[in-house]
Amino acid sequence: MGITALFVILLVILIFLVSYIPKLTLRKKIFIVIAALLVCLAVLAFLFATQFGSKRPLQENESVEIKK
């Protein structure tokens, strides 16, 4: 839910800011908004993949091998 709200807020801000650039065509404005949202999505995916930089130790396999 929080990520969806973040994207909606980012989308509204981007549309508001890009709409005030007079020399861009509508196609370029849409491209800028989509590119910015994709960059934001990539950063969020990277943060989730790295677990926000937490330093938790990795869980090791606790199986014990019996040597004969």
Side-chain angles (χ1 to χ4, degrees), residues 22-67:
K23 293 185 178 182
L24 293 178
T25 62
L26 181 62
R27 182 178 294 171
K28 288 183 181 179
K29 290 178 183 181
I30 292 172
F31 178 73
I32 289 171
V33 170
I34 291 173
L37 288 175
L38 286 176
V39 168
C40 181
L41 180 65
V43 169
L44 282 174
F46 178 75
L47 287 176
F48 280 118
T50 59
Q51 300 173 355
F52 292 98
S54 65
K55 302 294 181 185
R56 290 186 290 170
L58 296 175
Q59 293 180 355
E60 296 182 8
N61 190 2
E62 295 182 7
S63 64
V64 177
E65 293 182 14
I66 301 173
K67 296 181 180 180

